[in-house]
Amino acid sequence: MKVLVINCGSSSLKYQLFDMDGEKVLAKGLVERIGIEGARIKHTKTGMESVVVETPIPDHKAGIKLVLDALLDKKHGALSSLDELSAVGHRVVHAGEKFAASVRLDGKVMDALKECVPLAPLHNPANIMGIEAVSDALPRVPQVGVFDTAFHQTMPNTAFLYAVPYGYYEKYGVRRYGFHGTSHYYVAHRAAAILGQPIEKLKIVTCHLGNGSSITAVDGGRSVDTSMGFTPLAGVPMGTRCGDIDPALVAFIAETEQLSFKDIDFLLNKKSGMLGLSGVSSDLRDIEEAAERGESRSKLALQVLAYGIKKYIGAYAAAMGGIDAVVFTAGVGENSATIRAMACEGLGFMGIELDDSRNAIRSKEGLISTDSAKVKVLVVPTDEELVIARDTKRLIG
Ligand code: AMP
């Protein structure tokens, strides 16, 4: 059974073709700069060199056509006919409170996703465009939606409500939703498998630290709290996003800098976080290098990030009444031994203790805590595409 996984952004489209017999990736790629100059597709057949083709790509429909052509290419393709494709699975960012699990896409589901556009105005329209482009190109192939928000629908209202007038929740759906759910789900389950314990018995804090970052409390396999909120701006500091701030800052900046809400939204999403603090870059590698050269603001940025992560680990241990494991994943979590060490430093009192040589691992699964530590700390590379492919296979039968 062959399943195509699609992850559409506003001007990009990532894809992976899976053979579900053995869960092998046959080909993958990235379409970039859709609708702008310099558009291109980078396609890689497993085991072969990548090919890059620059060509005008006016919209997502054209992007999907390019992907299908690449998959059918005699030399670099992985399909001899589109009839081999059993289903397409899509990453969809926001399903509001409408879906707590992946679903097969049909007209009713699409209407529900369109209703969620005000909650994710930057992401859902791109996801919807991708689904519609696939429907046009492959009208008979079933499609499945896998939602970033779904895993967090198990949060209790004590964790998801904000202390603002309750009517805003009822009228506008103002609440914490959380994101990266597919990743948190995957790494929590992998951690349980690595530890050889049933997930139902474990209290895990999953730290998805990438360009966007979120931390989740996973109690018995269910998300019970997560650091991102109504939008992906909340939580720990990220590449360019501020994370948790006092909301009164918005009015203060508006008045003192004479900025509009739109300007401030841009400032907090694109100019803040690690970039804003360090003044160097949003990329943690650049900041680590600058800190090693002795640049004090980069050192400080690393400390602020690590402190933020540490506070969430402590808070979620309290929320769950204990903690068995901490999992690090995504670009920073999988690769930065420095951030992992700094975030766990001083947590010996609650049973978290890293082994320095184990902590040196990058981009592969492994235990990084000491043998005597009560709490197991693991690195687990995330694989959201695999979860999407599995859910797609399950729902298509
Ligand atoms: P992601 O959003 O998961 O792709 O993660 C992107 C982030 O991971 C960027 O901030 C990168 O700097 C960071 N990252 C990737 N590789 C490394 C590395 N070797 N060391 C530190 N950070 C890294």
PDB file of all heavy atoms in Angstrom, residues 208-212 239 282-286 288 330-333 335-336 362, ligand 1:
ATOM      1  N   HIS A 208       9.380  19.339  22.428  1.00  0.00           N
ATOM      2  CA  HIS A 208       9.594  19.512  20.979  1.00  0.00           C
ATOM      3  C   HIS A 208      10.235  20.887  20.816  1.00  0.00           C
ATOM      4  O   HIS A 208       9.573  21.920  20.924  1.00  0.00           O
ATOM      5  CB  HIS A 208       8.253  19.427  20.237  1.00  0.00           C
ATOM      6  CG  HIS A 208       8.376  19.656  18.757  1.00  0.00           C
ATOM      7  ND1 HIS A 208       8.125  18.679  17.827  1.00  0.00           N
ATOM      8  CD2 HIS A 208       8.719  20.756  18.043  1.00  0.00           C
ATOM      9  CE1 HIS A 208       8.328  19.160  16.610  1.00  0.00           C
ATOM     10  NE2 HIS A 208       8.680  20.425  16.721  1.00  0.00           N
ATOM     11  N   LEU A 209      11.565  20.889  20.587  1.00  0.00           N
ATOM     12  CA  LEU A 209      12.298  22.156  20.528  1.00  0.00           C
ATOM     13  C   LEU A 209      12.896  22.300  19.137  1.00  0.00           C
ATOM     14  O   LEU A 209      13.887  21.651  18.800  1.00  0.00           O
ATOM     15  CB  LEU A 209      13.420  22.159  21.581  1.00  0.00           C
ATOM     16  CG  LEU A 209      13.001  21.797  23.014  1.00  0.00           C
ATOM     17  CD1 LEU A 209      14.222  21.662  23.905  1.00  0.00           C
ATOM     18  CD2 LEU A 209      12.042  22.861  23.567  1.00  0.00           C
ATOM     19  N   GLY A 210      12.253  23.143  18.322  1.00  0.00           N
ATOM     20  CA  GLY A 210      12.754  23.366  16.969  1.00  0.00           C
ATOM     21  C   GLY A 210      12.759  24.855  16.708  1.00  0.00           C
ATOM     22  O   GLY A 210      13.029  25.649  17.619  1.00  0.00           O
ATOM     23  N   ASN A 211      12.438  25.219  15.499  1.00  0.00           N
ATOM     24  CA  ASN A 211      12.276  26.632  15.230  1.00  0.00           C
ATOM     25  C   ASN A 211      11.051  27.148  15.977  1.00  0.00           C
ATOM     26  O   ASN A 211      11.044  28.217  16.557  1.00  0.00           O
ATOM     27  CB  ASN A 211      12.141  26.812  13.719  1.00  0.00           C
ATOM     28  CG  ASN A 211      12.663  28.135  13.311  1.00  0.00           C
ATOM     29  OD1 ASN A 211      13.314  28.828  14.095  1.00  0.00           O
ATOM     30  ND2 ASN A 211      12.357  28.520  12.103  1.00  0.00           N
ATOM     31  N   GLY A 212       9.990  26.319  15.959  1.00  0.00           N
ATOM     32  CA  GLY A 212       8.860  26.506  16.875  1.00  0.00           C
ATOM     33  C   GLY A 212       9.000  25.440  17.946  1.00  0.00           C
ATOM     34  O   GLY A 212       9.449  24.344  17.655  1.00  0.00           O
ATOM     35  N   GLY A 239      12.634  30.297  17.890  1.00  0.00           N
ATOM     36  CA  GLY A 239      13.565  30.960  16.977  1.00  0.00           C
ATOM     37  C   GLY A 239      13.299  32.450  16.884  1.00  0.00           C
ATOM     38  O   GLY A 239      14.167  33.282  17.188  1.00  0.00           O
ATOM     39  N   SER A 282      18.171  33.481  14.468  1.00  0.00           N
ATOM     40  CA  SER A 282      17.114  32.639  15.052  1.00  0.00           C
ATOM     41  C   SER A 282      17.591  31.197  15.136  1.00  0.00           C
ATOM     42  O   SER A 282      16.946  30.359  15.750  1.00  0.00           O
ATOM     43  CB  SER A 282      15.863  32.704  14.176  1.00  0.00           C
ATOM     44  OG  SER A 282      16.151  32.179  12.889  1.00  0.00           O
ATOM     45  N   ASP A 283      18.709  30.919  14.482  1.00  0.00           N
ATOM     46  CA  ASP A 283      19.206  29.547  14.389  1.00  0.00           C
ATOM     47  C   ASP A 283      20.101  29.237  15.584  1.00  0.00           C
ATOM     48  O   ASP A 283      21.108  29.926  15.816  1.00  0.00           O
ATOM     49  CB  ASP A 283      19.984  29.381  13.073  1.00  0.00           C
ATOM     50  CG  ASP A 283      20.265  27.920  12.775  1.00  0.00           C
ATOM     51  OD1 ASP A 283      20.841  27.232  13.641  1.00  0.00           O
ATOM     52  OD2 ASP A 283      19.915  27.481  11.671  1.00  0.00           O
ATOM     53  N   LEU A 284      19.722  28.205  16.325  1.00  0.00           N
ATOM     54  CA  LEU A 284      20.439  27.915  17.571  1.00  0.00           C
ATOM     55  C   LEU A 284      21.919  27.609  17.346  1.00  0.00           C
ATOM     56  O   LEU A 284      22.751  27.883  18.200  1.00  0.00           O
ATOM     57  CB  LEU A 284      19.774  26.755  18.313  1.00  0.00           C
ATOM     58  CG  LEU A 284      20.174  26.765  19.775  1.00  0.00           C
ATOM     59  CD1 LEU A 284      19.279  27.674  20.570  1.00  0.00           C
ATOM     60  CD2 LEU A 284      20.200  25.384  20.361  1.00  0.00           C
ATOM     61  N   ARG A 285      22.251  27.042  16.167  1.00  0.00           N
ATOM     62  CA  ARG A 285      23.668  26.748  15.900  1.00  0.00           C
ATOM     63  C   ARG A 285      24.485  28.039  15.908  1.00  0.00           C
ATOM     64  O   ARG A 285      25.570  28.099  16.481  1.00  0.00           O
ATOM     65  CB  ARG A 285      23.821  26.052  14.548  1.00  0.00           C
ATOM     66  CG  ARG A 285      23.430  24.606  14.597  1.00  0.00           C
ATOM     67  CD  ARG A 285      23.257  24.045  13.226  1.00  0.00           C
ATOM     68  NE  ARG A 285      22.065  24.588  12.585  1.00  0.00           N
ATOM     69  CZ  ARG A 285      21.430  24.021  11.568  1.00  0.00           C
ATOM     70  NH1 ARG A 285      21.890  22.915  11.061  1.00  0.00           N
ATOM     71  NH2 ARG A 285      20.348  24.570  11.049  1.00  0.00           N
ATOM     72  N   ASP A 286      23.951  29.094  15.261  1.00  0.00           N
ATOM     73  CA  ASP A 286      24.656  30.382  15.219  1.00  0.00           C
ATOM     74  C   ASP A 286      24.797  30.958  16.626  1.00  0.00           C
ATOM     75  O   ASP A 286      25.831  31.534  16.975  1.00  0.00           O
ATOM     76  CB  ASP A 286      23.881  31.396  14.357  1.00  0.00           C
ATOM     77  CG  ASP A 286      23.722  30.922  12.926  1.00  0.00           C
ATOM     78  OD1 ASP A 286      24.534  30.082  12.480  1.00  0.00           O
ATOM     79  OD2 ASP A 286      22.770  31.386  12.261  1.00  0.00           O
ATOM     80  N   GLU A 288      24.807  29.292  19.500  1.00  0.00           N
ATOM     81  CA  GLU A 288      25.780  28.508  20.283  1.00  0.00           C
ATOM     82  C   GLU A 288      27.209  28.905  19.898  1.00  0.00           C
ATOM     83  O   GLU A 288      28.079  29.035  20.762  1.00  0.00           O
ATOM     84  CB  GLU A 288      25.569  27.002  20.051  1.00  0.00           C
ATOM     85  CG  GLU A 288      24.335  26.484  20.767  1.00  0.00           C
ATOM     86  CD  GLU A 288      24.162  24.963  20.706  1.00  0.00           C
ATOM     87  OE1 GLU A 288      24.940  24.292  20.005  1.00  0.00           O
ATOM     88  OE2 GLU A 288      23.255  24.465  21.364  1.00  0.00           O
ATOM     89  N   ALA A 330      12.973  17.225  17.904  1.00  0.00           N
ATOM     90  CA  ALA A 330      13.022  18.313  16.903  1.00  0.00           C
ATOM     91  C   ALA A 330      14.441  18.897  16.834  1.00  0.00           C
ATOM     92  O   ALA A 330      15.313  18.502  17.612  1.00  0.00           O
ATOM     93  CB  ALA A 330      11.976  19.382  17.173  1.00  0.00           C
ATOM     94  N   GLY A 331      14.647  19.834  15.891  1.00  0.00           N
ATOM     95  CA  GLY A 331      15.996  20.306  15.556  1.00  0.00           C
ATOM     96  C   GLY A 331      16.892  20.575  16.753  1.00  0.00           C
ATOM     97  O   GLY A 331      18.001  20.033  16.851  1.00  0.00           O
ATOM     98  N   VAL A 332      16.410  21.377  17.691  1.00  0.00           N
ATOM     99  CA  VAL A 332      17.227  21.721  18.862  1.00  0.00           C
ATOM    100  C   VAL A 332      17.271  20.546  19.840  1.00  0.00           C
ATOM    101  O   VAL A 332      18.340  20.152  20.321  1.00  0.00           O
ATOM    102  CB  VAL A 332      16.654  22.985  19.553  1.00  0.00           C
ATOM    103  CG1 VAL A 332      17.371  23.258  20.861  1.00  0.00           C
ATOM    104  CG2 VAL A 332      16.722  24.187  18.619  1.00  0.00           C
ATOM    105  N   GLY A 333      16.119  19.968  20.118  1.00  0.00           N
ATOM    106  CA  GLY A 333      16.036  18.875  21.096  1.00  0.00           C
ATOM    107  C   GLY A 333      16.846  17.656  20.689  1.00  0.00           C
ATOM    108  O   GLY A 333      17.434  16.976  21.532  1.00  0.00           O
ATOM    109  N   ASN A 335      19.492  17.729  18.623  1.00  0.00           N
ATOM    110  CA  ASN A 335      20.900  18.010  18.304  1.00  0.00           C
ATOM    111  C   ASN A 335      21.700  18.769  19.350  1.00  0.00           C
ATOM    112  O   ASN A 335      22.925  18.679  19.355  1.00  0.00           O
ATOM    113  CB  ASN A 335      20.976  18.815  17.001  1.00  0.00           C
ATOM    114  CG  ASN A 335      20.578  17.979  15.804  1.00  0.00           C
ATOM    115  OD1 ASN A 335      21.275  17.043  15.439  1.00  0.00           O
ATOM    116  ND2 ASN A 335      19.436  18.284  15.215  1.00  0.00           N
ATOM    117  N   SER A 336      21.022  19.559  20.172  1.00  0.00           N
ATOM    118  CA  SER A 336      21.806  20.428  21.051  1.00  0.00           C
ATOM    119  C   SER A 336      22.019  19.816  22.434  1.00  0.00           C
ATOM    120  O   SER A 336      21.165  19.907  23.325  1.00  0.00           O
ATOM    121  CB  SER A 336      21.135  21.801  21.194  1.00  0.00           C
ATOM    122  OG  SER A 336      21.872  22.570  22.119  1.00  0.00           O
ATOM    123  N   ARG A 362      23.405  12.831  18.784  1.00  0.00           N
ATOM    124  CA  ARG A 362      22.676  13.747  17.907  1.00  0.00           C
ATOM    125  C   ARG A 362      21.792  12.947  16.990  1.00  0.00           C
ATOM    126  O   ARG A 362      22.234  11.950  16.420  1.00  0.00           O
ATOM    127  CB  ARG A 362      23.653  14.458  16.976  1.00  0.00           C
ATOM    128  CG  ARG A 362      24.264  15.670  17.570  1.00  0.00           C
ATOM    129  CD  ARG A 362      25.378  16.153  16.674  1.00  0.00           C
ATOM    130  NE  ARG A 362      26.092  17.176  17.386  1.00  0.00           N
ATOM    131  CZ  ARG A 362      25.966  18.468  17.158  1.00  0.00           C
ATOM    132  NH1 ARG A 362      25.197  18.898  16.210  1.00  0.00           N
ATOM    133  NH2 ARG A 362      26.629  19.341  17.879  1.00  0.00           N
TER     134      ARG A 362
HETATM  135  P1  AMP B   1      13.196  22.281  13.308  1.00  0.00           P
HETATM  136  O1  AMP B   1      12.187  23.385  13.351  1.00  0.00           O
HETATM  137  O2  AMP B   1      12.781  21.072  14.086  1.00  0.00           O
HETATM  138  O3  AMP B   1      13.660  21.963  11.922  1.00  0.00           O
HETATM  139  O4  AMP B   1      14.502  22.819  14.080  1.00  0.00           O
HETATM  140  C1  AMP B   1      15.241  23.928  13.619  1.00  0.00           C
HETATM  141  C2  AMP B   1      16.175  24.361  14.719  1.00  0.00           C
HETATM  142  O5  AMP B   1      17.056  23.268  15.069  1.00  0.00           O
HETATM  143  C3  AMP B   1      17.063  25.542  14.335  1.00  0.00           C
HETATM  144  O6  AMP B   1      17.059  26.526  15.338  1.00  0.00           O
HETATM  145  C4  AMP B   1      18.447  24.914  14.268  1.00  0.00           C
HETATM  146  O7  AMP B   1      19.424  25.793  14.653  1.00  0.00           O
HETATM  147  C5  AMP B   1      18.341  23.791  15.275  1.00  0.00           C
HETATM  148  N1  AMP B   1      19.396  22.817  15.011  1.00  0.00           N
HETATM  149  C6  AMP B   1      19.520  22.006  13.943  1.00  0.00           C
HETATM  150  N2  AMP B   1      20.682  21.304  14.017  1.00  0.00           N
HETATM  151  C7  AMP B   1      21.318  21.715  15.157  1.00  0.00           C
HETATM  152  C8  AMP B   1      22.555  21.388  15.789  1.00  0.00           C
HETATM  153  N3  AMP B   1      23.392  20.510  15.263  1.00  0.00           N
HETATM  154  N4  AMP B   1      22.850  22.012  16.962  1.00  0.00           N
HETATM  155  C9  AMP B   1      22.021  22.919  17.497  1.00  0.00           C
HETATM  156  N5  AMP B   1      20.837  23.268  16.943  1.00  0.00           N
HETATM  157  C10 AMP B   1      20.494  22.686  15.798  1.00  0.00           C
END
